[in-house]
Amino acid sequence: MAQLSETHVYPVLWHEDHVLLIDQRKLPKEYSVVSISRCEDILTAIASRIVRGGPALGMAAAYGLYLGATTIQTNDRTAFLERLEAIAEQLKSARPDKANLLWSVDYLVKQVRQSSASVDDLKADLLKNAQKIQQQDWEICVAIGKHGLAALPQTPAKLTLYTHCNHGALATSGFGTSLGIVRTAWQESRLAKVIAGETRPWLQGSRLTAWECVQEQIPVTIVTDSMAAHCMKRGMVDAVVVGADRIAANGDTVNKIGTYALAIAAQAHNLPFLVAAPLSTVDFGLATGDGLDIAQGKGTDVCHLGDTVTCPADVDTYNPLADVTPADLITAIVTEHGAIAPAELATFAQRQA
Ligand code: MRU
């Protein structure tokens, strides 16, 4: 990971014998850091959304698995692996909709299974591998930024990019996937500004994406989610860049609720729609996104804006956390290996293997 800079944002950091998490619930009003040294507190941090965003959840869960492993008092490898797998299942069930979290935990457990080291060495290796996942995520996001910029229109010279939710430093190791493309465009003087959809009900766009942009003086305009199509019709947008929770082998993409509507609007206005995500977000065991169970959020989230109640008591609500954008609405999936047309994803991945 590039030299830690004072101003940069690192949502998850390993420090000496504990994890430091930025409390993302409190942004942008308050910047506070939570120090965690027990696996159960990582589970609470994930459930309460102190930490959120696929890759950041993957890193938090990786450190959580290590912290859990340090509490397993046995020198018997089989007993150790058994208890470690139980902790892994707990972490994976914390946000089962996040492919990056599932990938990270499965990767670490697989490393333990394939190793013949002693239990003490297995514990030490777990920490090393968790830090490797963080290091790799930084490199992956920087590569996504580069490939994403190359996949964007060459004109106008300075682009206005529309984003939804937060796929930035706060959702990753510090550089961002779709916001990594924005960062790269800004660094290469190819960005006029970002238009960030607020992203109801948790407002990751207006709270987190805007906060990141303000930290780095990247010009940003906040709109409500209902304004996206109007902005496109008015020619205010040159392309849409989003992240992904999970991608099927055919390119169908599961992401924050509202992403599908954006893709429809982008196609109606002939605008490029880029999905930025590490290749580990692609679940090749999932043929398409059809008929997927979508996790539901709390109804109260829909009826509140912060502490303000916004609808009559006991009114019926519906709060799907994600939706599925069909591959044919996606211009390209931008991974660390390049920008790929959804239809080429499977063959592309075989070539990478
Ligand atoms: O509910 P959140 O805030 O964790 O949702 C975040 C997303 O939906 C992101 O698109 C996804 O996790 C990718 S982040 C690089």
Side-chain angles (χ1 to χ4, degrees):
M1 191 148 69
Q3 184 51 40
L4 295 189
S5 76
E6 293 315 308
T7 57
H8 207 85
V9 173
Y10 303 98
V12 182
L13 271 182
W14 180 258
H15 182 65
E16 291 168 358
D17 62 355
H18 56 277
V19 186
L20 298 173
L21 298 178
I22 294 175
D23 188 339
Q24 301 192 34
R25 301 168 304 175
K26 299 185 176 163
L27 290 172
K29 267 197 297 247
E30 183 192 336
Y31 178 88
S32 74
V33 172
V34 177
S35 170
I36 288 180
S37 45
R38 301 184 314 158
C39 181
E40 44 268 46
D41 297 332
I42 290 281
L43 287 166
T44 308
I46 294 174
S48 63
R49 291 165 171 265
I50 287 172
V51 60
R52 36 68 51 199
L57 288 165
M59 293 180 309
Y63 290 126
L65 190 65
Y66 167 68
L67 290 171
T70 60
T71 67
I72 303 173
Q73 301 309 327
T74 178
N75 289 324
D76 177 77
R77 287 169 42 77
T78 312
F80 174 76
L81 184 55
E82 211 175 283
R83 303 228 314 255
L84 188 74
E85 285 171 341
I87 297 169
E89 285 315 309
Q90 275 188 299
L91 288 161
K92 287 167 66 175
S93 60
R95 292 282 309 262
D97 55 327
K98 301 293 180 183
N100 304 115
L101 187 160
L102 305 183
W103 180 86
S104 299
V105 173
D106 287 340
Y107 169 78
L108 291 178
V109 172
K110 188 171 155 215
Q111 299 306 308
V112 170
R113 277 206 202 96
Q114 292 174 344
S115 166
S116 56
S118 70
V119 169
D120 286 347
D121 289 347
L122 287 175
K123 292 177 182 177
D125 292 346
L126 270 168
L127 178 58
K128 284 197 204 101
N129 286 329
Q131 290 168 317
K132 208 167 92 185
I133 287 175
Q134 180 152 17
Q135 170 75 28
Q136 285 171 347
D137 182 75
W138 181 275
E139 292 153 8
I140 285 169
C141 288
V142 169
I144 286 173
K146 191 167 57 59
H147 295 307
L149 179 57
L152 286 169
Q154 294 314 302
T155 55
K158 294 208 180 231
L159 299 161
T160 295
L161 300 177
Y162 190 102
T163 71
H164 180 66
C165 192
N166 171 264
H167 321 108
L170 290 166
T172 62
S173 53
F175 194 79
T177 55
S178 72
L179 215 60
I181 297 174
V182 167
R183 262 193 185 92
T184 307
W186 179 244
Q187 289 162 359
E188 305 292 329
S189 306
R190 288 279 340 268
L191 185 78
K193 70 173 180 181
V194 184
I195 299 180
E198 64 175 350
T199 317
R200 285 265 299 155
W202 257 75
L203 304 177
Q204 289 93 329
S206 54
R207 290 190 307 112
L208 306 178
T209 296
W211 181 81
E212 285 192 37
C213 291
V214 168
Q215 303 305 306
E216 295 171 49
Q217 290 89 41
I218 295 175
V220 59
T221 297
I222 296 296
V223 296
T224 67
D225 303 325
S226 54
M227 297 171 184
H230 168 80
C231 293
M232 295 176 190
K233 188 166 186 295
R234 288 290 170 111
M236 296 164 63
V237 177
D238 297 305
V240 179
V241 288
V242 299
D245 282 336
R246 188 177 180 199
I247 301 172
N250 74 335
D252 291 350
T253 294
V254 184
N255 194 41
K256 184 56 58 190
I257 191 74
T259 304
Y260 173 44
L262 265 183
I264 293 170
Q267 189 178 65
H269 296 91
N270 300 316
L271 292 172
F273 187 87
L274 301 188
V275 170
L279 195 59
S280 63
T281 315
V282 182
D283 179 351
F284 289 100
L286 181 70
T288 76
D290 297 343
L292 270 181
D293 279 344
I294 297 288
Q296 299 292 314
K298 292 185 291 190
T300 48
D301 287 348
V302 174
C303 289
H304 287 74
L305 256 181
D307 303 332
T308 309
V309 177
T310 56
C311 53
D314 310 325
V315 73
D316 182 41
T317 59
Y318 176 55
N319 183 15
L321 293 177
D323 55 28
V324 178
T325 298
D328 60 4
L329 294 178
I330 299 170
T331 312
I333 294 174
V334 183
T335 77
E336 64 271 33
H337 303 290
I340 317 152
E344 290 158 24
L345 197 53
T347 44
F348 179 87
Q350 277 149 18
R351 286 203 302 277
Q352 299 306 320

